[in-house]
Amino acid sequence: MSSKPAEVPRYEKRELEVEETPGLTALPTPKRQKLKHQQQNFPPSFWDNLSQLWLTTRSLREFDRRTVWPSTPKQPHLTGAAQIDSNQLVQFAQEGGPDLRDLRAYPRAEEASSDPAGISTDMMASNTSAYSKAFEQHMIDHGCFPPEYPLYGAVKPQNFDEIVARLERPIPSSPAFTAQEFTDYLVVNKSCINEAEVMNNVISGIFAVRKPLPHGLTSQFNNLESLTGCELVEPMPDWHDGISPSSLAVTVRNRLENFIVPSTNPSRLCVPNFLFEVKGPDGSITILLRQAMFAGVLGARGVHELRHWLDPHTLDDNKAYTIAATYEPVQRNLIFYAIHPTRSNNTAHQALSSTPARYYTYRMTKLKAWMLDSDVDTFNKGMWAFQNARQWAKEQRDLLCAAANLKAESKEPAFMASGSQGSSDELGMDGACG
C-alpha cells in the first residue's frame, strides 16, 4: 500500500513575499547570517547595564563565560565515613543547610513560592528564548514598559476611549459569521498543533477573509536602528500592516530608512503600525506578550519619527497611533494593545538619543480582549474588532503618508496629521497610501 505523501505546510516561520511593489527590485544579496550573540548570547554590555539580574539560561551562560574554571578540577579529599557524625549532618540538613541569602538572585522570604524547594518557577533557568525575563528588564531599563507596569503606573493614551469605541463598532457591511461557521472555527482551532497551523488555518483562513488588506507575514525586521543601543534580536512579527513603498516618497523613505523601513528588502511594507503575534498550543503567553511589545514599540517609534520629521511641535499629544495584538489558541483570547510615546525626563533615556524625538518612553496599554470561544456573538465582536483595528491603523498611516508626500513635494509641512480625528476620506485619499 502506497503511503500518503506528507502535506507541505503553507505557512513557514520565514520571510514570505506578500506584496511585490512594481518598479522595486531587490538586489541579490547573500543569505543573511544570524547574529553571533543571537545564536549564543547577548553581548556583555547587555548584562552590565541591567538594573536587575534574573536567573535565566542566558545569564548562567554569561556567568560561565566570565568565570575562569580550572582545566583539570582537583579531586576532593574524601573523608572517611568513620569521621562523619551522621547525627550532626542530619540535624544540619533539618535546620535548612547552609545560608544562601548572599547569593545573587536568591529569593527573599516574602518572594519564595509554595514550592518545597523554595524557588519560584519564574526563576528557573529552563527557558532559552531570547525573550526572557532579562530581555524584558532590559526593555524596561530603556523606557519600554509592558502593560500595567507597577513602578510607573498605567498611563493611558489620550485617545484610549476613541480606539476602544472603534474596536467595538459593528460593521454592517461585513456579513456576520453563522453558528455553523463558529463551530467550524472551534474545530479548526482545536486541530492546530503548532504556530504555523494557527497562522494558516485560523488567522489567514478565518480572521482575515472578510476584508483583506495588504500585510506582511513573518518578515524579519532587520533594517531598523536598535531601540536600546544594544543589538539584541531582530523581531519577526507573525503579521504586520504597513504602507506600500511605492506610495511613500523616496526622499521620505531614504531620510527615515532606519526607523520606518523595517526590512532590507525594498519591496516590503513601510511604517508598520498594526503588529500581530500568535503562538501555538504549547507556546508561552509571557513570551507572546514580550514579542508583541518589542515589535509594537518599533512600529510606534517609526510613526513617532515620521511625525517628528513632519512637525516636532505635535509630538506631545499623548496619543497612540500603533496597535499590537496577540492571539493564543488554547484559551482563544484575542487581545489588543495600544502603544504610544510619552516624553521622558530620565537622563538615561536621553543619553541613548541623538535627537529630541527620541527623548521618549513607550507604553503598552491593554485596550480590549475577546474570548472567542464564548459564543457566536462574542466571536463576531472579536472579528469586527480585528477588522476595525486594522482599518483604524490604516487610516493613521494614510494621513501620515499624505502629509509626508506633500512635504517632500513642497519642502514645507503643508499640514500635519495630528491624530485620530481625521480620516482618509476627509483628505480624499481613499486607499491612496495603502
Side-chain angles (χ1 to χ4, degrees), residues 49 70 96 424:
N49 296 320
S424 57

Side-chain angles (χ1 to χ4, degrees), residues 55 92 95-109 117-119 123:
L55 182 61
F92 181 68
E95 292 175 354
D99 187 354
L100 304 179
R101 287 176 295 181
D102 289 335
L103 291 180
R104 179 182 290 180
Y106 186 79
R108 296 186 295 272
I119 302 177
M123 302 184 66

Side-chain angles (χ1 to χ4, degrees), residues 15-290:
E15 291 195 344
L16 299 179
E17 195 61 50
V18 177
E19 178 181 338
E20 293 289 347
T21 302
L24 292 176
T25 305
L27 296 177
T29 55
K31 187 177 295 185
R32 184 178 177 87
Q33 298 294 324
K34 285 188 176 181
L35 300 172
K36 182 178 180 181
H37 60 258
Q38 185 171 335
Q39 294 175 328
Q40 300 175 359
N41 210 3
F42 295 140
S45 58
F46 171 89
W47 305 103
D48 293 338
N49 296 320
L50 278 182
S51 62
Q52 184 174 359
L53 186 61
W54 295 89
L55 182 61
T56 66
T57 298
R58 287 174 181 256
S59 64
L60 291 177
R61 192 182 299 158
E62 178 66 11
F63 175 77
D64 287 341
R65 189 192 68 80
R66 298 186 183 197
T67 303
V68 179
W69 300 102
S71 56
T72 306
K74 291 179 116 184
Q75 186 71 19
H77 174 69
L78 299 179
T79 306
Q83 302 177 21
I84 297 178
D85 188 334
S86 58
N87 292 330
Q88 289 185 358
L89 185 61
V90 171
Q91 183 179 359
F92 181 68
Q94 289 176 344
E95 292 175 354
D99 187 354
L100 304 179
R101 287 176 295 181
D102 289 335
L103 291 180
R104 179 182 290 180
Y106 186 79
R108 296 186 295 272
E110 61 270 19
E111 295 178 347
S113 68
S114 58
D115 185 270
I119 302 177
S120 170
T121 55
D122 288 339
M123 302 184 66
M124 296 297 289
S126 59
N127 184 10
T128 59
S129 169
Y131 295 93
S132 63
K133 188 68 176 177
F135 174 87
E136 180 178 296
Q137 187 66 53
H138 179 76
M139 295 289 288
I140 291 171
D141 291 345
H142 289 79
C144 304
F145 301 109
E148 302 172 358
Y149 185 66
L151 294 183
Y152 287 81
V155 179
K156 294 181 179 180
Q158 185 176 332
N159 55 346
F160 176 88
D161 293 333
E162 174 192 337
I163 301 175
V164 171
R166 181 64 179 270
L167 295 180
E168 296 175 335
R169 182 191 302 176
I171 307 177
S173 61
S174 178
F177 286 84
T178 65
Q180 181 58 51
E181 289 174 322
F182 172 64
T183 302
D184 293 341
Y185 153 74
L186 295 177
V187 173
V188 170
N189 184 84
K190 181 67 176 177
S191 65
C192 295
I193 61 174
N194 54 41
E195 182 177 327
E197 291 190 358
V198 174
M199 281 298 302
N200 242 353
N201 304 332
V202 178
I203 307 304
S204 297
I206 298 177
F207 284 25
V209 297
R210 286 293 195 261
K211 187 174 183 179
L213 289 173
H215 62 276
L217 295 176
T218 60
S219 297
Q220 194 166 29
F221 286 9
N222 55 7
N223 193 49
L224 298 177
E225 183 174 303
S226 171
L227 267 174
T228 64
C230 179
E231 196 173 25
L232 302 177
V233 293
E234 292 172 348
M236 189 184 295
D238 294 307
W239 181 298
H240 68 278
D241 293 352
I243 297 173
S244 172
S246 61
S247 299
L248 191 61
V250 175
T251 54
V252 180
R253 299 202 309 268
N254 291 342
R255 184 182 184 93
L256 301 173
E257 176 184 3
N258 296 125
F259 299 100
I260 66 173
V261 182
S263 174
T264 54
N265 186 331
S267 65
R268 299 300 174 98
L269 301 176
C270 305
V271 199
N273 70 332
F274 178 82
L275 297 305
F276 191 29
E277 291 285 1
V278 175
K279 282 297 178 188
D282 297 323
S284 166
I285 299 177
T286 303
I287 292 178
L288 176 66
L289 181 60
R290 290 171 187 158

